[in-house]
Amino acid sequence: MKEKLTVEQQIQHMKSKGVQFNIVSEEEAISYLTNNTYYFKIKAYAKNYDKYRTTEKAGQYVNLEFAYLKDLAIIDMLLRHYILKTSVDLEHTMKTRFLRDFNNSEDDGYHLVQMFLDENPHILDDIKRKKENSYTKDLSNKLLTDGFAIWNIIELLSLKDFLMLYRRFNEEYPKARTGHDLYYPMQGVRKLRNAAAHSNCLINTLKRPYFGQVRYNSKVDAFVKKISSIDKKSRSSNMSNQVVYDFVTMLYLVDEITESIGVKEKAIKEIHDLVHGRMVKHADYYKKESAICSTYNFIKKIVDFLYEKTYTNRVI
């Protein structure tokens, strides 16, 4: 078991690992770790940095300043805020499209729901528990009494359960669906949103070995391939990182399925401003960090592509 450390001891521990305090002083770091974040969280971003393998510095980080970790933590926070807002808009768009497709089917709105609940009894149990939630108890009580229809049950389903219903509908009425299947792309967005909602670190694994098996989607891959400024090597490398892939999937869906021009423009402008603004406020911190620079440049090219596509023919 690791020893409990005071904030002051945490600073000394970081120093023993090679973390330096030339830009942010030790006193400022103590204040930051006391009032703004905590040690485990900010230390996670050190995964992006190399360690010495030989000499007396073996095991220590190479040229890592506390300021770099702090900057990454702030950028990550802003990304999480963006992901939460954007994923909520995408969920709304998905439900709108889903109900539009439902109107093309022969289902009466009750048959599929009953089948779905019979196959997934835990969902009905979850709805019953929502009777105790002040935000959903009226709707839950009403539907438990009057019965569930497809157009009202989606208000009580988690995104995970809604996507299960979406997939079941596509299986039952494949000809009713307009557009391609969005189940797997939205699963990536769901996982990304859950991580953001729980304040999990997102940009702390930008270098190998934090690359794994990614479930590729042909539409997402085709979208990235259209961007001429991204070469094959960069595309292959960056899209092998699950977090990067899911974030690119979210950007793809913003462009692909968002029908409200205002919502789409706002989402793309916001990420464009973040990429060209706060993310590069301390660009000099990362000049020697190839993994961070590679990921940033990859995302920047996608965002610039979407921004130009969205705003070039904008009607004012």
Side-chain angles (χ1 to χ4, degrees):
M1 295 180 66
K2 293 187 176 181
E3 182 184 359
K4 175 183 175 182
L5 301 177
T6 65
V7 175
E8 290 78 9
Q9 289 171 328
Q10 292 167 7
I11 298 295
Q12 294 307 312
H13 181 70
M14 281 190 278
K15 289 176 68 176
S16 73
K17 295 296 184 180
V19 179
Q20 302 174 46
F21 295 84
N22 297 313
I23 301 171
V24 172
S25 70
E26 292 182 37
E27 292 73 20
E28 291 171 325
I30 289 171
S31 176
Y32 188 72
L33 288 174
T34 302
N35 301 308
N36 297 83
T37 190
Y38 45 93
Y39 177 70
F40 185 83
K41 170 81 66 180
I42 200 163
K43 183 66 166 49
Y45 299 101
K47 293 178 182 179
N48 290 319
Y49 292 86
D50 292 325
K51 292 180 178 180
Y52 290 101
R53 297 185 179 182
T54 58
T55 76
E56 69 280 0
K57 291 186 177 181
Q60 295 186 6
Y61 292 102
V62 180
N63 298 323
L64 175 55
E65 287 278 351
F66 182 87
Y68 305 170
L69 303 177
K70 178 182 175 182
D71 194 58
L72 286 172
I74 293 171
I75 292 170
D76 206 348
M77 174 195 68
L78 295 172
L79 274 173
R80 292 195 300 270
H81 291 176
Y82 176 78
I83 288 166
L84 288 172
K85 288 185 288 184
T86 304
S87 59
V88 167
D89 288 339
L90 286 174
E91 180 178 1
H92 174 77
T93 298
M94 272 287 294
K95 289 179 178 179
T96 301
R97 289 169 65 101
F98 172 67
L99 290 178
R100 187 168 64 199
D101 288 349
F102 159 73
N103 287 332
N104 295 327
S105 75
E106 299 174 356
D107 197 274
D108 62 0
Y110 295 88
H111 169 73
L112 180 70
V113 172
Q114 189 58 55
M115 184 190 313
F116 179 68
L117 292 175
D118 288 343
E119 294 170 349
N120 302 280
H122 71 279
I123 293 177
L124 184 58
D125 292 338
D126 184 57
I127 291 173
K128 290 177 180 178
R129 284 192 293 271
K130 289 179 178 179
K131 291 193 302 180
E132 309 304 320
N133 187 318
S134 60
Y135 293 99
T136 55
K137 65 179 182 180
D138 289 344
L139 180 58
S140 299
N141 282 320
K142 177 176 173 57
L143 298 186
L144 286 166
T145 301
D146 298 344
F148 297 98
I150 209 165
W151 51 82
N152 53 40
I153 195 174
I154 62 174
E155 298 299 314
L156 293 175
L157 297 179
S158 66
L159 179 55
K160 179 182 179 181
D161 291 341
F162 165 69
L163 290 175
M164 289 174 59
L165 176 61
Y166 171 85
R167 183 171 62 174
R168 191 67 182 89
F169 173 81
N170 288 344
E171 293 170 348
E172 194 72 12
Y173 302 105
K175 295 181 180 179
R177 191 186 74 233
T178 56
H180 59 273
D181 191 346
L182 299 175
Y183 175 78
Y184 286 111
M186 276 301 295
Q187 284 287 9
V189 172
R190 180 184 69 82
K191 293 175 183 177
L192 193 65
R193 183 179 78 170
N194 287 349
H198 292 287
S199 195
N200 297 148
C201 298
L202 301 176
I203 57 173
N204 63 320
T205 54
L206 300 182
K207 60 182 296 183
R208 297 185 185 278
Y210 302 107
F211 288 60
Q213 293 296 318
V214 175
R215 185 175 189 124
Y216 294 100
N217 180 273
S218 60
K219 299 293 183 180
V220 177
D221 294 347
F223 160 70
V224 178
K225 286 179 181 179
K226 289 192 301 183
I227 305 174
S228 59
S229 60
I230 298 177
D231 60 40
K232 183 178 180 179
K233 181 179 179 181
S234 175
R235 183 175 67 247
S236 175
S237 175
N238 284 285
M239 296 285 273
S240 296
N241 183 296
Q242 187 67 63
V243 174
V244 174
Y245 195 93
D246 289 343
F247 188 72
V248 171
T249 298
M250 188 181 72
L251 294 179
Y252 159 74
L253 288 174
V254 168
D255 180 58
E256 177 68 19
I257 72 172
T258 307
E259 298 183 12
S260 167
I261 295 175
V263 171
K264 180 186 288 190
E265 287 185 348
K266 183 178 179 182
I268 292 174
K269 184 178 186 304
E270 186 173 346
I271 189 61
H272 181 269
D273 290 349
L274 180 57
V275 165
H276 287 270
R278 182 59 186 83
M279 279 190 183
V280 291
K281 180 179 179 180
H282 296 297
D284 57 304
Y285 289 178
Y286 310 108
K287 289 186 294 186
K288 297 180 179 180
E289 303 304 326
S290 58
I292 294 175
C293 289
S294 173
T295 304
Y296 169 79
N297 287 325
F298 177 72
I299 295 298
K300 175 182 176 295
K301 289 173 181 178
I302 294 174
V303 170
D304 287 348
F305 171 81
L306 290 176
Y307 187 82
E308 183 177 356
K309 177 183 177 183
T310 302
Y311 283 87
T312 297
N313 299 316
R314 184 184 183 196
V315 178
I316 300 177

